[in-house]
Amino acid sequence: NGNIGTIEDEDALIEIAKGLWDEEYGEIQGQTYDPTHGCEVKVFYDESYDYWLVQGTLPPYSTGMVPFLIVSGNGDLIAIGLR
């Protein structure tokens, strides 16, 4: 899967995630697509497993898919996708 390098802070991790999401999902059937739909991106850290979760959000009372990224504390990319 690869390594994203040193995780400096949450803001840097969000920018890395957005770049990876754009690479993976930025174009669908020849059309430009914003995987985050312009919504807020949140970061969570699980200290017991040393994993970071970065994911998009949806507005209240809406349905749809959001991008996510899971990275280990040393920068190893564990998963990227839409859920």
Side-chain angles (χ1 to χ4, degrees):
N1 282 335
N3 187 292
I4 65 167
T6 303
I7 299 168
E8 296 175 20
D9 59 36
E10 289 184 7
D11 291 333
L13 187 53
I14 287 171
E15 291 308 310
I16 290 168
K18 285 181 175 180
L20 291 170
W21 293 333
D22 281 342
E23 283 180 29
E24 192 73 24
Y25 307 109
E27 185 176 309
I28 296 177
Q29 297 178 346
Q31 299 294 317
T32 302
Y33 176 73
D34 177 7
T36 66
H37 306 289
C39 291
E40 182 181 6
V41 176
K42 293 190 176 189
V43 177
F44 304 93
Y45 178 68
D46 185 325
E47 192 173 304
S48 62
Y49 290 100
D50 192 28
Y51 277 20
W52 293 89
L53 168 64
V54 186
Q55 72 177 29
T57 62
L58 292 172
Y61 310 109
S62 64
T63 60
M65 300 186 78
V66 295
F68 72 92
L69 180 80
I70 301 173
V71 181
S72 69
N74 68 0
D76 286 340
L77 181 59
I78 305 301
I80 183 172
L82 295 171
R83 65 181 185 131

